[in-house]
């Protein structure tokens, strides 16, 4: 796929995460009586991240707000409520606020950034399919209405079925992903999904869009995440062991994305591989260094496809790879150890960042991955892929 | 069904469908060709790539940036790439179980469509398919929906 343009801003090694905070996803999910706005959620996550970092709000001179359905705007009242007066602000308008924030630090615009994500998507009844899916979404989400094709899930169902037709992978094999992540969620007090999920439970669960069962879908819930980043040379000496952003690269695939060609025909391998290769090169790390993996799991099928795309296994073997506890804590390559978006919280990947940091600090509790010092995050969607490498700083 | 059958259930009542997306004249033109029993798409004059969904007025070719397109009639032939079946209802017009297929047209584009005359369990990778047009209606009026049957 030589036509793929890799975007690889030289941000590796520039910044480290020195504080993380998140809302109590499970408690909020179970307690529907407790109305939470995105602002409340953001404020709660921010207070926890500040506490975690040992810094004060006055130390924060940069603020980046992540895009989110039912998100927050960094207006004056909101900043005042958090005690913030940052010199640099990135409103929720960019796809990759983490990279933008690190670039701002590299350019000397700020040195300590709070990256804030909050969403009240569940309380606000955000929908991800149907005739009301408006043109603000991607073309393939609404152009095929006359044929009854809708929802993100249907895109991934086509991809899953394609994998089955090509490689003979099975429903039982895919079930291992949701089962593994539910086991992880049950080791995480903050996770929404605490009910045990066996392979039999998975197979007996209802389909939403065949071949995907309900547990193959991420949930929709409210929550907030805040990361505190500092320039790497100023990251040490705080309350926590800093975690370096060692490398980052992304690839966009726009040609034919509306036809689902890269996603269904190529299973997005070209983009995933190109982004991962560039990320490893920037971080001067290899696949063998990765002790912990976080995959953006809008759907369970993301995990095996990412394993194949990044190159942890051969094409077509991702669902064989996830068998036998290999992606569980204690296995060869523990993946989505907080429960991921299937079972912990659907924070559009930001909960994955928090979990990577906790694992690399050794704060994973019952789900701690022994010897975790390098963590890879990989995301791919209909039109892009990105890889990000985290590394513990001594 | 005879091989030259280009319209299915022509005697039947038009089938109610979720709304087409009609952004500008190019979307309407696609459906006008369907009403005439033709599957047509815009071919880029510079690089020959076919645009689907239609390129809008002023849109550039997503492969080369060219802006000149001409509507070309396609063979209506393709092969099955994948399929899925909705068990949850997203549209009142499409009660579950509702199966959708993804077809790779012989000329290249990938096309979301309805299976015509075969069940999901009969679907196999690469199965050859041919277009047919189903009399349909949505909130914009009557139209002919391209669907695919075993070739």
């Amino acid at each position: 796929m030589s036509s793929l343009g890799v975007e690889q801003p030289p941000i590796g090694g520039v910044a480290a995460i020195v504080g993380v905070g998140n809302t109590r996803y499970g408690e909020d999910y179970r307690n529907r009586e407790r109305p939470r706005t995105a602002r409340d959620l953001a404020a709660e996550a921010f207070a926890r991240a500040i506490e975690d970092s040992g810094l004060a709000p006055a130390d924060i001179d940069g603020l980046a707000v992540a895009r989110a359905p039912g998100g927050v705007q960094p207006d004056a009242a909101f900043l005042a409520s958090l005690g913030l007066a940052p010199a640099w602000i990135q409103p929720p308008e960019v796809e990759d606020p983490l990279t933008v924030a690190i670039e701002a630090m590299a350019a000397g615009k700020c040195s300590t950034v709070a990256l804030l994500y909050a969403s009240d998507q569940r309380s606000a009844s955000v929908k991800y399919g149907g005739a009301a899916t408006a043109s603000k979404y991607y073309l393939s989400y609404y152009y095929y209405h006359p044929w009854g094709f809708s929802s993100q899930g249907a895109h991934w169902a086509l991809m899953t079925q394609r994998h089955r037709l090509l490689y003979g992978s099975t429903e039982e094999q895919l079930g291992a992903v949701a089962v593994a992540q539910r086991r992880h969620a049950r080791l995480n007090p903050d996770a929404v999904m605490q009910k045990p999920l066996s392979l039999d439970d998975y197979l007996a669960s209802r389909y939403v869009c065949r071949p995907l069962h309900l547990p193959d879908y991420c949930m929709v819930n409210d929550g907030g995440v805040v990361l505190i980043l500092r320039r790497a040379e100023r990251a040490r000496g705080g309350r926590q062991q800093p975690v370096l952003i060692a490398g980052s690269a992304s690839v966009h695939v726009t040609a034919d994305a509306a036809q689902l060609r890269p996603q269904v025909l190529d299973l997005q391998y070209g983009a995933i591989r190109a982004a991962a290769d560039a990320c490893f090169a920037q971080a001067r790390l290899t696949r063998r260094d990765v002790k912990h993996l976080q995959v953006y799991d809008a759907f369970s099928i993301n995990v095996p496809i990412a394993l194949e795309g990044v190159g942890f296994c051969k094409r077509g073997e991702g669902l064989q790879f996830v068998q036998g506890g290999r992606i569980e804590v204690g296995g060869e390559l523990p993946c989505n150890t907080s429960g991921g978006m299937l079972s912990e919280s659907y924070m559009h990947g930001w909960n994955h960042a928090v979990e990577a940091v906790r694992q690399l600090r050794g704060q994973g509790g019952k789900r701690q991955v022994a010897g975790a010092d390098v963590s890879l995050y990989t995301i791919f969607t209909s039109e892009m892929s990105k890889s990000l490498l985290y590394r513990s700083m001594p | 069904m005879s091989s030259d059958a280009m319209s299915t259930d022509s005697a039947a009542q038009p089938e109610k469908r979720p709304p087409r997306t009609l952004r500008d004249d190019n979307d309407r033109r696609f459906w006008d060709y369907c009403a005439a029993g033709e599957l047509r798409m815009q071919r880029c004059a510079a690089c020959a790539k076919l645009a689907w969904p239609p390129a809008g007025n002023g849109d550039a070719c997503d492969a080369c940036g060219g802006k000149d397109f001409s509507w070309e009639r396609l063979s209506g032939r393709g092969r099955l790439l994948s399929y899925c079946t909705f068990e949850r209802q997203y549209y009142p017009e499409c009660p579950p179980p509702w199966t959708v297929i993804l077809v790779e047209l012989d000329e290249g584009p990938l096309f979301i469509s309805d299976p015509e005359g075969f069940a999901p369990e009969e679907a196999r990778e690469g199965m050859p398919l041919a277009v047919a047009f189903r009399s349909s209606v949505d909130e914009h009026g009557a139209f002919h929906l391209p669907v695919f049957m075993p070739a």
Side-chain angles (χ1 to χ4, degrees):
Chain A
M1 301 288 285
S2 57
S3 63
L4 292 173
V6 181
E7 296 154 39
Q8 192 186 14
I11 62 166
V14 169
I17 297 177
V18 300
V20 293
N22 59 269
T23 54
R24 300 288 179 252
Y25 311 124
E27 195 179 302
D28 286 346
Y29 195 85
R30 287 181 288 276
N31 188 357
R32 299 197 81 158
E33 304 305 308
R34 188 174 162 203
R36 308 300 305 278
T37 65
R39 286 180 177 233
D40 293 339
L41 295 159
E44 184 180 323
F46 180 74
R48 291 218 170 89
I50 284 289
E51 168 69 21
D52 183 66
S53 69
L55 298 170
D59 296 322
I60 307 292
D61 61 359
L63 174 69
V65 181
R67 289 193 304 206
V72 291
Q73 289 292 334
D75 56 35
F78 180 63
L79 296 180
S81 73
L82 299 182
L84 285 175
W88 177 84
I89 296 178
Q90 174 60 58
E93 291 160 3
V94 293
E95 179 187 281
D96 188 352
L98 181 64
T99 295
V100 171
I102 296 173
E103 287 178 311
M105 283 190 267
K109 293 174 186 166
C110 48
S111 62
T112 305
V113 173
L115 196 160
L116 187 154
Y117 166 96
S119 172
D120 63 355
Q121 56 185 338
R122 183 186 188 217
S123 299
S125 300
V126 171
K127 295 276 184 279
Y128 291 92
T133 307
S135 56
K136 65 177 176 175
Y137 289 97
Y138 196 57
L139 192 57
S140 66
Y141 291 3
Y142 64 90
Y143 201 80
Y144 307 122
H145 283 166
W147 293 276
F149 181 83
S150 177
S151 83
Q152 292 184 28
H155 292 66
W156 303 93
L158 287 173
M159 195 178 198
T160 305
Q161 187 60 52
R162 180 74 185 152
H163 197 274
R164 286 191 190 164
L165 292 169
L166 285 177
Y167 304 118
S169 53
T170 67
E171 191 161 272
E172 287 78 4
Q173 286 180 323
L174 184 59
V177 176
V179 167
Q181 293 192 203
R182 184 63 59 85
R183 281 193 187 133
H184 294 158
R186 286 168 46 75
L187 301 172
N188 173 9
D190 282 348
V192 170
M193 299 296 189
Q194 296 290 342
K195 198 177 156 193
L197 182 77
S198 67
L199 185 60
D200 286 341
D201 296 332
Y202 170 84
L203 293 170
S205 66
R206 68 182 172 89
Y207 291 102
V208 181
C209 184
R210 260 180 215 266
L212 298 179
H213 289 263
L214 185 63
D216 292 313
Y217 282 61
C218 67
M219 66 191 97
V220 174
N221 66 296
D222 301 338
V225 171
V226 171
L227 311 176
I228 311 282
L229 295 121
R230 295 203 109 178
R231 285 196 60 115
E233 68 271 18
R234 298 183 57 181
R236 287 191 183 83
R239 186 170 285 166
Q240 303 288 351
Q241 181 188 1
V243 171
L244 189 72
I245 308 287
S248 172
S250 57
V251 169
H252 285 81
V253 183
T254 49
D256 293 328
Q259 293 174 19
L260 316 181
R261 177 180 291 275
Q263 186 175 9
V264 180
L265 200 58
D266 183 42
L267 298 175
Q268 212 60 290
Y269 288 135
I272 301 169
R273 180 62 57 91
D277 282 348
C279 182
F280 280 114
Q282 186 181 88
R284 297 195 187 87
L285 292 166
T286 70
R287 284 157 183 77
R288 272 194 288 271
D289 295 316
V290 176
K291 311 284 199 338
H292 175 249
L293 178 66
Q294 293 284 98
V295 174
Y296 186 93
D297 54 329
F299 297 89
S300 58
I301 189 69
N302 283 103
V303 172
I305 300 293
L307 289 164
E308 295 176 26
V310 172
F312 288 112
C313 61
K314 291 180 187 161
R315 279 194 181 200
E317 295 183 358
L319 281 167
Q320 286 153 256
F321 187 94
V322 303
Q323 304 305 306
R326 195 179 268 136
I327 59 166
E328 294 180 24
V329 172
E332 190 180 312
L333 185 58
C335 177
N336 292 347
T337 47
S338 64
M341 301 195 301
L342 301 182
S343 279
E344 182 196 26
S345 184
Y346 182 31
M347 297 289 102
H348 289 87
W350 297 107
N351 53 319
H352 290 72
V354 171
E355 177 66 3
V357 168
R358 291 200 173 121
Q359 288 285 346
L360 297 193
R361 288 176 180 172
Q363 296 173 344
K366 289 179 184 168
R367 61 182 193 276
Q368 179 62 44
V369 174
D373 55 357
V374 172
S375 179
L376 174 70
Y377 170 67
T378 291
I379 172 173
F380 67 95
T381 68
S382 304
E383 53 179 342
M384 60 80 70
S385 180
K386 175 180 170 171
S387 273
L388 187 70
L389 276 159
Y390 300 93
R391 185 173 197 170
S392 325
M393 275 174 82
Chain B
M1 192 172 292
S2 67
S3 61
D4 62 347
M6 291 300 287
S7 182
T8 66
D9 304 323
S10 53
Q13 280 287 98
E15 195 174 288
K16 183 89 167 74
R17 286 286 175 155
R20 289 167 289 163
T21 297
L22 302 176
R23 298 165 299 173
D24 66 21
D25 294 349
N26 297 286
D27 289 325
R28 290 191 186 85
R29 198 157 166 182
F30 171 79
W31 293 107
D32 287 346
Y33 286 125
C34 288
E38 296 179 3
L39 188 65
R40 284 188 186 246
M41 290 182 183
Q42 298 146 294
R43 192 179 285 283
C44 171
C47 77
K49 189 178 171 187
L50 289 163
W52 179 251
N57 292 320
D59 282 359
C61 169
D62 68 11
C64 77
K67 293 201 169 184
D68 293 329
F69 297 93
S70 57
W71 286 90
E72 179 176 306
R73 185 168 182 184
L74 307 185
S75 66
R77 301 259 166 180
R79 64 185 185 108
L80 183 103
L81 284 184
S82 192
Y83 58 94
C84 62
T85 302
F86 295 88
E87 299 287 353
R88 175 194 187 283
Q89 187 152 1
Y90 285 94
Y91 306 93
E93 302 88 350
C94 305
W98 183 269
T99 296
V100 169
I101 57 174
L102 184 67
V103 182
E104 183 175 36
L105 302 177
D106 281 1
E107 293 85 356
L110 268 50
F111 198 88
I112 290 282
S113 193
D114 277 31
E116 171 72 27
F118 67 102
E121 355 11 305
E122 299 172 77
R124 58 184 199 284
E125 201 279 323
M127 108 187 239
L129 298 168
V131 76
F133 295 90
R134 191 180 294 159
S135 179
S136 305
V137 63
D138 69 6
E139 64 191 39
H140 306 292
F143 68 104
H144 286 76
L145 184 79
V147 297
F148 280 80
M149 56 189 186

